Amino acid sequence: MKKSSNVFSRTAIFSATLLVCQLASVQVVQAQETPKSDVIVTEPATLTPATSTSLSTSNLLNTGTGAAQTAFTPGYELSGAKAGDGTAGTMTAPARGAPIVYGGLYIYLDARASAGQNNNVLGSANNTTSSSLFGLEPEIVAEVKNHGDRYTASYLGSYVRYQSSSSDNFNHHDFRIAGDDIFDSRTRLSWNAGYVLSTDPRGSTDRAISTTPDEWHAPSVAGIFSYGATDSMGRVEVDSSYLKKTYTNNRTTTIGSDVDISTVSARFFYRVAPKTSLLIEAKDIKSAYALTNSPNSNNDRRLMLGATWNATAATTGIFKIGYLNKSFDQAGISGYKGIAWEGKARWAPLTYSTVDATVSKLPSDGTGVGNYIMNNNYDLLWTHRWNTQFSSKVDLGYVKSDYVNGNRQDNLKNIGLGVSYDMRRWLRLGAEITNTNRSSTVSGNEFSRNVVLFTLQSTL
């Protein structure tokens, strides 16, 4: 294990050094040798959506409190803070639009502006605050390729201003450097290091609501090592990640939420058909809260069995079910021992129409109520392109959240409708409306929210 760790460290350092050297050489060439006319802009494919549609084998790490908070929070308030998305062992940032090319460096620029209305900013049962809002999401990705390997440095920002609730304004920043190293047809290593500055929107946790959102920052590192060709009988993946989340304001209520999260997992895939594999996965997630004698520090251990399939060109998916043991460091706090599952599937009956389904039963750490939260999450997304320019999406979501030893159960329903129109290859107009309703066994925790957004997305 120590030898593998050293190999990973040396490879990551080499990859990062290569990217930095490329960036440095571009600056020199641009400033001293390359005339402005040598800057090349190539023609790319049509503008693609901002979110990835690839199925993931494992989400390594997410600093959110789980499905309940994710479903509660409007999409424009969500931030990254993922130490890689585990998408088929790929951790480099996706590129959209036409690149600006300087030698071996490709730079992609993307931005989305939005304006809309949120009729319940805090998710309150009474005395709701309604506000118009304006947002800007700039993204830059610098890419270097070297004999099949790929390295990226990226920045994603999110700036939102509320017209009638300026206390809830926020700026999110996500800086990341990543690499995908392919040693041969059987061996590959992907790594990711990042730094996020973000917020928990007011009302999105069970902590007492302060006068401003809870601000935090989080450095993170992660890596996935894969051995085995995609068409081999057996394949092995090992991954590890670490994230340190620290809150910087409202310390009266957030001091107990500073946490170090470390994850180690391994999985073995056994091919039983040309496009179907069985898998076994073992995962250990350690959440060490900084507060002395914190009741939240815990260990989450999972042993899952499942399958991945690509039965036809129209059907792909992954599903895992198994045993989960969530135990707390402090004596006397009851944890969870029982069944857990997670799965994703895609059905594409037509080349221009897809249906994505996501299901899970997994626990998440509490943020003020109960020992932990057990979330049952179900989501269905239909995306359809009606012609070369016009497309639509329909999203249905349901989250059942049981606050263990908190005498509370929430049921949250989401319905989202969206349309987009490609005016040009590089310019997209969009509109979406989302309705969220939460019922609860605890009076005062129920709320209803409607969010309307109009967006303008552009690339080079």
PDB file of all heavy atoms in Angstrom, residues 309-333:
ATOM      1  N   TRP A 309     -24.193  -2.622 -16.787  1.00  0.00           N
ATOM      2  CA  TRP A 309     -24.623  -3.195 -18.060  1.00  0.00           C
ATOM      3  C   TRP A 309     -24.692  -2.135 -19.143  1.00  0.00           C
ATOM      4  O   TRP A 309     -24.918  -0.969 -18.880  1.00  0.00           O
ATOM      5  CB  TRP A 309     -25.980  -3.877 -17.902  1.00  0.00           C
ATOM      6  CG  TRP A 309     -27.108  -2.956 -17.567  1.00  0.00           C
ATOM      7  CD1 TRP A 309     -27.949  -2.317 -18.432  1.00  0.00           C
ATOM      8  CD2 TRP A 309     -27.527  -2.547 -16.260  1.00  0.00           C
ATOM      9  NE1 TRP A 309     -28.858  -1.542 -17.758  1.00  0.00           N
ATOM     10  CE2 TRP A 309     -28.624  -1.665 -16.424  1.00  0.00           C
ATOM     11  CE3 TRP A 309     -27.071  -2.845 -14.972  1.00  0.00           C
ATOM     12  CZ2 TRP A 309     -29.271  -1.078 -15.336  1.00  0.00           C
ATOM     13  CZ3 TRP A 309     -27.722  -2.263 -13.891  1.00  0.00           C
ATOM     14  CH2 TRP A 309     -28.795  -1.392 -14.084  1.00  0.00           C
ATOM     15  N   ASN A 310     -24.459  -2.585 -20.321  1.00  0.00           N
ATOM     16  CA  ASN A 310     -24.617  -1.792 -21.531  1.00  0.00           C
ATOM     17  C   ASN A 310     -25.255  -2.728 -22.545  1.00  0.00           C
ATOM     18  O   ASN A 310     -24.667  -3.068 -23.572  1.00  0.00           O
ATOM     19  CB  ASN A 310     -23.258  -1.274 -22.010  1.00  0.00           C
ATOM     20  CG  ASN A 310     -23.387  -0.280 -23.140  1.00  0.00           C
ATOM     21  OD1 ASN A 310     -24.497   0.100 -23.509  1.00  0.00           O
ATOM     22  ND2 ASN A 310     -22.267   0.120 -23.710  1.00  0.00           N
ATOM     23  N   ALA A 311     -26.468  -3.166 -22.174  1.00  0.00           N
ATOM     24  CA  ALA A 311     -27.122  -4.257 -22.896  1.00  0.00           C
ATOM     25  C   ALA A 311     -27.285  -3.956 -24.370  1.00  0.00           C
ATOM     26  O   ALA A 311     -27.064  -4.816 -25.229  1.00  0.00           O
ATOM     27  CB  ALA A 311     -28.473  -4.547 -22.261  1.00  0.00           C
ATOM     28  N   THR A 312     -27.687  -2.741 -24.671  1.00  0.00           N
ATOM     29  CA  THR A 312     -27.834  -2.323 -26.063  1.00  0.00           C
ATOM     30  C   THR A 312     -27.311  -0.891 -26.153  1.00  0.00           C
ATOM     31  O   THR A 312     -26.940  -0.283 -25.156  1.00  0.00           O
ATOM     32  CB  THR A 312     -29.303  -2.378 -26.519  1.00  0.00           C
ATOM     33  OG1 THR A 312     -30.052  -1.400 -25.793  1.00  0.00           O
ATOM     34  CG2 THR A 312     -29.898  -3.758 -26.270  1.00  0.00           C
ATOM     35  N   ALA A 313     -27.338  -0.367 -27.332  1.00  0.00           N
ATOM     36  CA  ALA A 313     -26.929   1.025 -27.493  1.00  0.00           C
ATOM     37  C   ALA A 313     -27.894   1.959 -26.764  1.00  0.00           C
ATOM     38  O   ALA A 313     -27.568   3.113 -26.494  1.00  0.00           O
ATOM     39  CB  ALA A 313     -26.874   1.382 -28.974  1.00  0.00           C
ATOM     40  N   ALA A 314     -29.078   1.450 -26.423  1.00  0.00           N
ATOM     41  CA  ALA A 314     -30.100   2.286 -25.804  1.00  0.00           C
ATOM     42  C   ALA A 314     -30.170   2.148 -24.290  1.00  0.00           C
ATOM     43  O   ALA A 314     -30.834   2.941 -23.634  1.00  0.00           O
ATOM     44  CB  ALA A 314     -31.467   1.951 -26.396  1.00  0.00           C
ATOM     45  N   THR A 315     -29.512   1.156 -23.687  1.00  0.00           N
ATOM     46  CA  THR A 315     -29.668   0.896 -22.260  1.00  0.00           C
ATOM     47  C   THR A 315     -28.321   0.709 -21.582  1.00  0.00           C
ATOM     48  O   THR A 315     -27.556  -0.178 -21.949  1.00  0.00           O
ATOM     49  CB  THR A 315     -30.526  -0.366 -22.027  1.00  0.00           C
ATOM     50  OG1 THR A 315     -31.747  -0.254 -22.771  1.00  0.00           O
ATOM     51  CG2 THR A 315     -30.848  -0.535 -20.565  1.00  0.00           C
ATOM     52  N   THR A 316     -28.041   1.554 -20.592  1.00  0.00           N
ATOM     53  CA  THR A 316     -26.827   1.424 -19.778  1.00  0.00           C
ATOM     54  C   THR A 316     -27.206   1.670 -18.330  1.00  0.00           C
ATOM     55  O   THR A 316     -28.218   2.320 -18.030  1.00  0.00           O
ATOM     56  CB  THR A 316     -25.750   2.444 -20.201  1.00  0.00           C
ATOM     57  OG1 THR A 316     -26.283   3.772 -20.080  1.00  0.00           O
ATOM     58  CG2 THR A 316     -25.309   2.211 -21.630  1.00  0.00           C
ATOM     59  N   GLY A 317     -26.386   1.158 -17.421  1.00  0.00           N
ATOM     60  CA  GLY A 317     -26.696   1.403 -16.021  1.00  0.00           C
ATOM     61  C   GLY A 317     -25.742   0.736 -15.067  1.00  0.00           C
ATOM     62  O   GLY A 317     -24.855  -0.042 -15.456  1.00  0.00           O
ATOM     63  N   ILE A 318     -25.901   1.067 -13.791  1.00  0.00           N
ATOM     64  CA  ILE A 318     -25.146   0.446 -12.711  1.00  0.00           C
ATOM     65  C   ILE A 318     -26.049   0.415 -11.492  1.00  0.00           C
ATOM     66  O   ILE A 318     -26.803   1.373 -11.235  1.00  0.00           O
ATOM     67  CB  ILE A 318     -23.839   1.204 -12.412  1.00  0.00           C
ATOM     68  CG1 ILE A 318     -23.082   0.534 -11.251  1.00  0.00           C
ATOM     69  CG2 ILE A 318     -24.105   2.672 -12.103  1.00  0.00           C
ATOM     70  CD1 ILE A 318     -21.682   1.089 -11.047  1.00  0.00           C
ATOM     71  N   PHE A 319     -26.014  -0.699 -10.746  1.00  0.00           N
ATOM     72  CA  PHE A 319     -26.806  -0.811  -9.521  1.00  0.00           C
ATOM     73  C   PHE A 319     -26.014  -1.604  -8.508  1.00  0.00           C
ATOM     74  O   PHE A 319     -25.396  -2.625  -8.829  1.00  0.00           O
ATOM     75  CB  PHE A 319     -28.151  -1.485  -9.799  1.00  0.00           C
ATOM     76  CG  PHE A 319     -29.036  -1.555  -8.579  1.00  0.00           C
ATOM     77  CD1 PHE A 319     -29.763  -0.441  -8.186  1.00  0.00           C
ATOM     78  CD2 PHE A 319     -29.117  -2.707  -7.825  1.00  0.00           C
ATOM     79  CE1 PHE A 319     -30.575  -0.484  -7.058  1.00  0.00           C
ATOM     80  CE2 PHE A 319     -29.923  -2.770  -6.694  1.00  0.00           C
ATOM     81  CZ  PHE A 319     -30.657  -1.652  -6.309  1.00  0.00           C
ATOM     82  N   LYS A 320     -26.034  -1.100  -7.253  1.00  0.00           N
ATOM     83  CA  LYS A 320     -25.335  -1.768  -6.155  1.00  0.00           C
ATOM     84  C   LYS A 320     -26.254  -1.848  -4.947  1.00  0.00           C
ATOM     85  O   LYS A 320     -26.971  -0.905  -4.635  1.00  0.00           O
ATOM     86  CB  LYS A 320     -24.069  -0.983  -5.765  1.00  0.00           C
ATOM     87  CG  LYS A 320     -23.033  -0.884  -6.864  1.00  0.00           C
ATOM     88  CD  LYS A 320     -21.853  -0.018  -6.432  1.00  0.00           C
ATOM     89  CE  LYS A 320     -22.216   1.449  -6.372  1.00  0.00           C
ATOM     90  NZ  LYS A 320     -21.045   2.317  -6.074  1.00  0.00           N
ATOM     91  N   ILE A 321     -26.224  -2.982  -4.256  1.00  0.00           N
ATOM     92  CA  ILE A 321     -26.993  -3.171  -3.030  1.00  0.00           C
ATOM     93  C   ILE A 321     -26.139  -3.978  -2.068  1.00  0.00           C
ATOM     94  O   ILE A 321     -25.372  -4.861  -2.485  1.00  0.00           O
ATOM     95  CB  ILE A 321     -28.342  -3.874  -3.312  1.00  0.00           C
ATOM     96  CG1 ILE A 321     -29.181  -3.929  -2.041  1.00  0.00           C
ATOM     97  CG2 ILE A 321     -28.128  -5.262  -3.907  1.00  0.00           C
ATOM     98  CD1 ILE A 321     -30.617  -4.402  -2.280  1.00  0.00           C
ATOM     99  N   GLY A 322     -26.246  -3.657  -0.789  1.00  0.00           N
ATOM    100  CA  GLY A 322     -25.433  -4.394   0.162  1.00  0.00           C
ATOM    101  C   GLY A 322     -25.655  -3.952   1.590  1.00  0.00           C
ATOM    102  O   GLY A 322     -26.694  -3.381   1.944  1.00  0.00           O
ATOM    103  N   TYR A 323     -24.648  -4.202   2.398  1.00  0.00           N
ATOM    104  CA  TYR A 323     -24.720  -3.974   3.848  1.00  0.00           C
ATOM    105  C   TYR A 323     -23.932  -2.727   4.204  1.00  0.00           C
ATOM    106  O   TYR A 323     -22.803  -2.527   3.734  1.00  0.00           O
ATOM    107  CB  TYR A 323     -24.155  -5.185   4.587  1.00  0.00           C
ATOM    108  CG  TYR A 323     -24.159  -5.053   6.088  1.00  0.00           C
ATOM    109  CD1 TYR A 323     -25.335  -5.212   6.818  1.00  0.00           C
ATOM    110  CD2 TYR A 323     -22.980  -4.775   6.771  1.00  0.00           C
ATOM    111  CE1 TYR A 323     -25.337  -5.100   8.203  1.00  0.00           C
ATOM    112  CE2 TYR A 323     -22.971  -4.660   8.155  1.00  0.00           C
ATOM    113  CZ  TYR A 323     -24.159  -4.823   8.863  1.00  0.00           C
ATOM    114  OH  TYR A 323     -24.142  -4.704  10.232  1.00  0.00           O
ATOM    115  N   LEU A 324     -24.524  -1.866   5.055  1.00  0.00           N
ATOM    116  CA  LEU A 324     -23.871  -0.630   5.483  1.00  0.00           C
ATOM    117  C   LEU A 324     -23.866  -0.568   7.004  1.00  0.00           C
ATOM    118  O   LEU A 324     -24.886  -0.832   7.654  1.00  0.00           O
ATOM    119  CB  LEU A 324     -24.594   0.589   4.895  1.00  0.00           C
ATOM    120  CG  LEU A 324     -23.957   1.969   5.112  1.00  0.00           C
ATOM    121  CD1 LEU A 324     -24.282   2.879   3.923  1.00  0.00           C
ATOM    122  CD2 LEU A 324     -24.463   2.628   6.398  1.00  0.00           C
ATOM    123  N   ASN A 325     -22.715  -0.202   7.559  1.00  0.00           N
ATOM    124  CA  ASN A 325     -22.562  -0.048   9.004  1.00  0.00           C
ATOM    125  C   ASN A 325     -22.035   1.348   9.289  1.00  0.00           C
ATOM    126  O   ASN A 325     -20.878   1.654   8.990  1.00  0.00           O
ATOM    127  CB  ASN A 325     -21.598  -1.111   9.553  1.00  0.00           C
ATOM    128  CG  ASN A 325     -21.441  -1.012  11.068  1.00  0.00           C
ATOM    129  OD1 ASN A 325     -22.062  -0.168  11.723  1.00  0.00           O
ATOM    130  ND2 ASN A 325     -20.606  -1.872  11.632  1.00  0.00           N
ATOM    131  N   LYS A 326     -22.908   2.210   9.816  1.00  0.00           N
ATOM    132  CA  LYS A 326     -22.509   3.563  10.198  1.00  0.00           C
ATOM    133  C   LYS A 326     -22.429   3.603  11.722  1.00  0.00           C
ATOM    134  O   LYS A 326     -23.461   3.527  12.411  1.00  0.00           O
ATOM    135  CB  LYS A 326     -23.514   4.590   9.678  1.00  0.00           C
ATOM    136  CG  LYS A 326     -23.086   6.052   9.861  1.00  0.00           C
ATOM    137  CD  LYS A 326     -24.138   6.992   9.284  1.00  0.00           C
ATOM    138  CE  LYS A 326     -23.723   8.452   9.356  1.00  0.00           C
ATOM    139  NZ  LYS A 326     -22.615   8.774   8.421  1.00  0.00           N
ATOM    140  N   SER A 327     -21.210   3.738  12.250  1.00  0.00           N
ATOM    141  CA  SER A 327     -21.001   3.732  13.698  1.00  0.00           C
ATOM    142  C   SER A 327     -20.373   5.047  14.136  1.00  0.00           C
ATOM    143  O   SER A 327     -19.564   5.640  13.412  1.00  0.00           O
ATOM    144  CB  SER A 327     -20.101   2.563  14.104  1.00  0.00           C
ATOM    145  OG  SER A 327     -18.838   2.652  13.465  1.00  0.00           O
ATOM    146  N   PHE A 328     -20.722   5.500  15.336  1.00  0.00           N
ATOM    147  CA  PHE A 328     -20.249   6.771  15.858  1.00  0.00           C
ATOM    148  C   PHE A 328     -19.139   6.554  16.880  1.00  0.00           C
ATOM    149  O   PHE A 328     -19.135   5.557  17.614  1.00  0.00           O
ATOM    150  CB  PHE A 328     -21.405   7.550  16.470  1.00  0.00           C
ATOM    151  CG  PHE A 328     -22.369   8.090  15.440  1.00  0.00           C
ATOM    152  CD1 PHE A 328     -23.380   7.288  14.925  1.00  0.00           C
ATOM    153  CD2 PHE A 328     -22.243   9.379  14.963  1.00  0.00           C
ATOM    154  CE1 PHE A 328     -24.253   7.771  13.971  1.00  0.00           C
ATOM    155  CE2 PHE A 328     -23.108   9.878  14.000  1.00  0.00           C
ATOM    156  CZ  PHE A 328     -24.117   9.069  13.503  1.00  0.00           C
ATOM    157  N   ASP A 329     -18.215   7.511  16.899  1.00  0.00           N
ATOM    158  CA  ASP A 329     -17.063   7.405  17.796  1.00  0.00           C
ATOM    159  C   ASP A 329     -17.484   7.521  19.259  1.00  0.00           C
ATOM    160  O   ASP A 329     -16.916   6.858  20.136  1.00  0.00           O
ATOM    161  CB  ASP A 329     -16.028   8.490  17.487  1.00  0.00           C
ATOM    162  CG  ASP A 329     -15.409   8.323  16.101  1.00  0.00           C
ATOM    163  OD1 ASP A 329     -15.730   7.317  15.429  1.00  0.00           O
ATOM    164  OD2 ASP A 329     -14.609   9.189  15.702  1.00  0.00           O
ATOM    165  N   GLN A 330     -18.463   8.377  19.529  1.00  0.00           N
ATOM    166  CA  GLN A 330     -18.878   8.616  20.902  1.00  0.00           C
ATOM    167  C   GLN A 330     -19.811   7.505  21.366  1.00  0.00           C
ATOM    168  O   GLN A 330     -20.778   7.151  20.677  1.00  0.00           O
ATOM    169  CB  GLN A 330     -19.567   9.979  21.016  1.00  0.00           C
ATOM    170  CG  GLN A 330     -19.761  10.448  22.449  1.00  0.00           C
ATOM    171  CD  GLN A 330     -20.311  11.857  22.513  1.00  0.00           C
ATOM    172  OE1 GLN A 330     -21.414  12.096  23.014  1.00  0.00           O
ATOM    173  NE2 GLN A 330     -19.558  12.808  21.978  1.00  0.00           N
ATOM    174  N   ALA A 331     -19.524   6.960  22.536  1.00  0.00           N
ATOM    175  CA  ALA A 331     -20.332   5.869  23.079  1.00  0.00           C
ATOM    176  C   ALA A 331     -21.752   6.338  23.363  1.00  0.00           C
ATOM    177  O   ALA A 331     -21.988   7.492  23.732  1.00  0.00           O
ATOM    178  CB  ALA A 331     -19.690   5.342  24.356  1.00  0.00           C
ATOM    179  N   GLY A 332     -22.682   5.441  23.146  1.00  0.00           N
ATOM    180  CA  GLY A 332     -24.071   5.731  23.461  1.00  0.00           C
ATOM    181  C   GLY A 332     -24.871   6.312  22.315  1.00  0.00           C
ATOM    182  O   GLY A 332     -26.084   6.518  22.460  1.00  0.00           O
ATOM    183  N   ILE A 333     -24.228   6.607  21.166  1.00  0.00           N
ATOM    184  CA  ILE A 333     -24.949   7.138  20.016  1.00  0.00           C
ATOM    185  C   ILE A 333     -25.208   5.995  19.042  1.00  0.00           C
ATOM    186  O   ILE A 333     -24.268   5.380  18.531  1.00  0.00           O
ATOM    187  CB  ILE A 333     -24.160   8.262  19.322  1.00  0.00           C
ATOM    188  CG1 ILE A 333     -23.920   9.419  20.289  1.00  0.00           C
ATOM    189  CG2 ILE A 333     -24.897   8.753  18.082  1.00  0.00           C
ATOM    190  CD1 ILE A 333     -23.147  10.560  19.686  1.00  0.00           C
TER     191      ILE A 333
END
